[in-house]
Amino acid sequence: MTLPAWWKNSVVYQIYPRSFKDSDGDGVGDINGITEKLSYLQDLGIDIIWLSPIYQSPNYDNGYDISDYYQVMNTFGTMDDFQHLLEQAEQYRIKIMMDLVVNHTSDQHQWFIKSRATKDNQYRDYYIWRDPKPDGSAPTNWGAAFGGSTWTYDQKTEQYYLHLFSDKQPDLNWENPDLRQDVYQMMIYWLEKGVAGFRMDVINMISKDPNYPDGERLPTGFGDGGPYYFNGPKIHDYLQEMHNHVLKNYDTITVGEMPNVTVEQAKRYTDIERDELDMVFHFDHVSLGDGRLGKWSPQPWKLTELKSIFTRWQKGLDQVGWNSLYWSNHDQPRAISRFGDDSEHYRVRSGKMLATCLHMLKGTPYIYQGEELGMTNAKFESINDYRDLETLNAYNDLVNRNLCSRAEIIEAIQQRSRDHARTPMQWSNAKNAGFTTGDPWIAVNPNYKTINAQVALHDHTSIFHYYKKLIQLRKQYQVIVEGSYDILLANHEQIYAFTRTLANQTLIVVCNFSKQNITFDLPRSFDLQRANILISNLSDDPLQKDNRLIFEPYQAIVYLIEN
Ligand code: TEU
């Protein structure tokens, strides 16, 4: 029997360095702060750290706008600090994966500074320049992710340059083989330092339709360019070239962040026979409830929709490819606030329920910093407490263009702003939650006095210790890593129940996603009398008569039946 690849039974922990731990009192997290906390992460039991970008950046998009791929960001520390982190992490048997942002750079990258200087230098075609339309308007009607057009006119050379995100993040031209070679050399530089692989930022956006057609008009007033840059014509060529030039020479973990990717496309990206990527991050579940203005017009969602999405991905990648599993990251609101219940009464219980659901699915789980503490969205009252350009642009742009009211955008921001994931990690009930001795770059969530690592570590019933047990179970039971998935009670709107089966072992995972007591029947084919409870988020077992169960609000249980 071939052992599964090491990253298939690993657990990844995402660190957003800016908000994790500040070691030098400047109010911004840094690399030495991460090194300080390796023992905490080893205690949790994680195997790999995904570091959001640590490269030199003007921080317009907090490091997702890189001005030098070979330098560590000044506020994060030095290359020696990073080398020390790598060495110390190895002592703790923790691997480090980097965030590869190569769809675009910062407009302060030397490549772009040279590219925009003249029309005929060697870096001109490192980026995407086009003439205006005959009427002088932008080459296409596409809207940028952070507001406005995806094109900005450059007076000096009288052309527009493309930027799918902000005007300070010009898109790289992957049609250019010289650019691709420079990217591959940079990847080799970091792999030779000992990093274990890459999370690849919007990697399915790097290949654009060379005709740059206009898109269908959206409620935002711009055209939808998505069909012309998501999963583009040469994306598989580029990823296979990257594999052949770089990745095949190292034992790496790779995960591609892919907005708008489908299961069928993900099978092609992650089929081991195709030599592309190990996993992808899809967005189907985190887009639940998106309305006419996307995340800025959030609508209610149904559990059956969530279950259908997870089932589609579990079944779709069961034989070919591999799933990543996540509830949140640095771009998403806090999981408990988004999918659970962040009220004082149900925060811990629903946090454990969400963890049970995700960690019992087939795939590699990703824990976002603070998720293991049950951190919640920050209830910021003022727009002045927010820092994220995406949030601030939406707050101004959507109202100014009469696409929504001020009250509607504030409500949407309080639900979906990326800043909810970016408030400082809550280490203790000390000032600034022990994150910094300085003034934090963004306010600490006021609930840090009761929600913090210090409290969690000393409370054996905390979410932290529950995550720790889930990770231990993954190491103990191969059925969690390799078992096949089947949905139960597919049409139930409160209960998510599914099985995982491998050889003579069957797990029955049951999660109540609601605030109600729910009575339901499990199929009689399962002899619950012979079942052992592997993990439960409540101390009392559910009321049960034969296969009829009564689950309390947000109750979660994993039964193990061995035939
Ligand atoms: O995000 C990609 C992406 O799709 C964004 O639109 C993001 O998901 C959105 O903000 C959610 O509402 C990646 C990075 O994760 C993000 O932090 C960067 O801002 C973005 O790319 C540009 O690099």
Side-chain angles (χ1 to χ4, degrees):
M1 179 183 86
T2 51
L3 279 175
W6 56 271
W7 38 265
K8 287 192 171 181
N9 52 26
S10 295
V11 176
V12 185
Y13 187 91
Q14 183 195 355
I15 290 177
Y16 192 70
R18 192 173 182 79
S19 305
F20 189 68
K21 180 68 172 66
D22 170 21
S23 70
D24 58 9
D26 66 357
V28 175
D30 49 50
I31 290 170
N32 288 336
I34 297 169
T35 305
E36 277 177 30
K37 295 298 181 180
L38 286 172
S39 56
Y40 166 84
L41 296 173
Q42 185 196 47
D43 184 17
L44 180 58
I46 58 102
D47 305 287
I48 305 163
I49 292 170
W50 153 25
L51 276 185
S52 274
I54 61 164
Y55 320 95
Q56 193 65 279
S57 165
N59 284 307
Y60 188 71
D61 188 16
N62 287 349
Y64 285 90
D65 50 327
I66 295 167
S67 54
D68 189 336
Y69 289 103
Y70 291 90
Q71 293 296 325
V72 169
M73 194 190 301
N74 295 334
T75 48
F76 284 174
T78 66
M79 190 61 86
D80 286 347
D81 295 333
F82 178 71
Q83 205 61 53
H84 180 61
L85 169 61
L86 270 179
E87 290 157 8
Q88 290 301 303
E90 192 172 7
Q91 300 300 314
Y92 286 102
R93 301 170 63 81
I94 293 175
K95 297 177 186 288
I96 303 266
M97 63 193 286
M98 303 286 272
D99 205 320
L100 187 73
V101 186
V102 290
N103 173 70
H104 49 271
T105 67
S106 161
D107 62 349
Q108 295 177 37
H109 195 290
Q110 279 304 311
W111 292 343
F112 189 69
I113 290 168
K114 291 170 185 166
S115 176
R116 74 185 318 172
T118 66
K119 289 179 89 167
D120 56 2
N121 68 81
Q122 75 174 97
Y123 291 100
R124 185 68 176 181
D125 286 340
Y126 269 48
Y127 295 87
I128 299 165
W129 295 92
R130 288 290 183 281
D131 289 332
K133 282 180 177 167
D135 65 0
S137 65
T140 71
N141 64 355
W142 304 350
F146 297 152
S149 164
T150 55
W151 299 91
T152 292
Y153 188 68
D154 200 78
Q155 285 291 356
K156 185 158 189 188
T157 56
E158 296 178 327
Q159 282 194 312
Y160 282 88
Y161 67 87
L162 179 71
H163 52 83
L164 296 178
F165 290 91
S166 77
D167 61 344
K168 293 179 174 53
Q169 295 167 286
D171 275 54
L172 287 165
N173 173 20
W174 274 74
E175 298 275 349
N176 184 337
D178 294 341
L179 176 273
R180 301 203 303 270
Q181 285 308 319
D182 274 342
V183 168
Y184 303 153
Q185 284 313 309
M186 177 268 290
M187 293 174 70
I188 290 168
Y189 172 83
W190 289 102
L191 288 165
E192 285 297 309
K193 279 189 168 297
V195 305
F198 299 99
R199 175 265 190 185
M200 300 186 188
D201 190 63
V202 292
I203 198 69
N204 67 325
M205 295 171 75
I206 62 176
S207 170
K208 280 76 170 176
D209 180 329
N211 301 312
Y212 289 94
D214 277 341
E216 277 191 31
R217 196 171 175 75
L218 295 168
T220 58
F222 288 98
D224 180 8
Y228 310 111
Y229 53 70
F230 286 123
N231 311 300
K234 295 185 180 173
I235 183 63
H236 294 289
D237 302 317
Y238 296 153
L239 290 176
Q240 288 169 15
E241 183 184 71
M242 180 189 283
H243 188 276
N244 292 330
H245 281 66
V246 182
L247 298 171
K248 74 173 184 184
N249 301 317
Y250 302 87
D251 183 14
T252 57
I253 175 175
T254 55
V255 55
E257 185 207 25
M258 297 197 173
N260 285 58
V261 70
T262 64
V263 173
E264 281 316 304
Q265 291 162 338
K267 280 167 84 167
R268 297 186 70 209
Y269 286 121
T270 61
D271 177 351
I272 193 167
E273 303 301 325
R274 293 175 54 83
D275 287 342
E276 294 186 21
L277 299 175
D278 298 326
M279 290 170 263
V280 303
F281 285 135
H282 69 80
F283 282 60
D284 289 358
H285 58 318
V286 292
S287 305
L288 266 178
D290 283 8
R292 63 188 178 83
L293 298 175
K295 65 194 269 188
W296 301 125
S297 48
Q299 306 300 313
W301 53 276
K302 296 196 297 187
L303 181 62
T304 46
E305 294 172 306
L306 181 70
K307 298 195 291 186
S308 164
I309 288 166
F310 278 162
T311 300
R312 181 167 72 245
W313 282 91
Q314 288 286 299
K315 291 283 195 192
L317 299 187
D318 182 51
Q319 297 303 314
V320 171
W322 190 254
N323 272 294
S324 67
L325 307 169
Y326 74 99
W327 284 124
S328 68
N329 54 42
H330 64 290
D331 291 333
Q332 297 299 329
R334 288 287 177 180
I336 289 177
S337 301
R338 179 80 160 81
F339 297 103
D341 182 327
D342 61 12
S343 69
E344 193 167 337
H345 191 65
Y346 289 124
R347 179 184 65 84
V348 173
R349 186 189 292 195
S350 71
K352 292 178 181 176
M353 181 276 291
L354 292 173
T356 307
C357 177
L358 194 82
H359 283 251
M360 288 297 144
L361 289 169
K362 186 173 184 180
T364 298
Y366 289 71
I367 300 170
Y368 180 64
Q369 68 180 46
E371 181 182 326
E372 79 281 7
L373 302 178
M375 282 177 64
T376 68
N377 280 5
K379 305 269 191 278
F380 289 151
E381 290 306 319
S382 163
I383 191 64
N384 299 324
D385 290 324
Y386 291 90
R387 295 288 177 274
D388 178 26
L389 81 150
E390 181 192 53
T391 295
L392 299 173
N393 288 356
Y395 178 80
N396 293 308
D397 181 42
L398 298 180
V399 174
N400 294 344
R401 296 198 300 121
N402 298 315
L403 291 167
C404 67
S405 69
R406 183 69 75 203
E408 285 168 334
I409 190 62
I410 286 173
E411 169 57 29
I413 287 170
Q414 289 179 336
Q415 287 187 46
R416 297 287 201 92
S417 170
R418 303 192 300 181
D419 278 332
H420 294 304
R422 302 175 180 188
T423 60
M425 183 71 174
Q426 295 166 198
W427 293 108
S428 72
N429 63 5
K431 186 170 182 285
N432 294 322
F435 163 71
T436 179
T437 56
D439 294 327
W441 69 277
I442 186 171
V444 176
N445 191 320
N447 62 21
Y448 76 90
K449 293 240 183 252
T450 52
I451 301 173
N452 62 65
Q454 186 178 44
V455 166
L457 288 168
H458 292 94
D459 171 3
H460 73 280
T461 68
S462 67
I463 298 174
F464 177 91
H465 288 292
Y466 196 85
Y467 267 86
K468 189 170 172 178
K469 183 171 180 185
L470 285 169
I471 296 170
Q472 288 164 347
L473 288 172
R474 177 170 291 271
K475 307 297 181 189
Q476 263 178 281
Y477 291 88
Q478 205 53 17
V479 61
I480 297 173
V481 177
E482 296 189 77
S484 58
Y485 166 100
D486 273 302
I487 182 85
L488 302 174
L489 310 175
N491 297 322
H492 204 292
E493 282 299 357
Q494 289 80 36
I495 297 290
Y496 187 1
F498 58 89
T499 59
R500 300 286 312 281
T501 307
L502 181 70
N504 69 325
Q505 290 188 331
T506 297
L507 298 180
I508 306 169
V509 184
V510 188
C511 296
N512 180 0
F513 270 73
S514 79
K515 198 184 284 187
Q516 287 76 39
N517 285 324
I518 302 294
T519 302
F520 60 98
D521 296 324
L522 282 179
R524 290 199 168 281
S525 52
F526 300 116
D527 180 0
L528 289 183
Q529 307 311 318
R530 290 195 304 108
N532 292 313
I533 291 182
L534 215 50
I535 190 168
S536 168
N537 69 342
L538 297 183
S539 49
D540 300 331
D541 292 348
L543 292 175
Q544 177 193 338
K545 182 170 175 25
D546 298 335
N547 277 34
R548 173 154 295 184
L549 296 160
I550 301 176
F551 263 40
E552 290 190 39
Y554 303 112
Q555 183 160 14
I557 290 188
V558 180
Y559 296 96
L560 169 63
I561 297 180
E562 298 192 276
N563 299 313

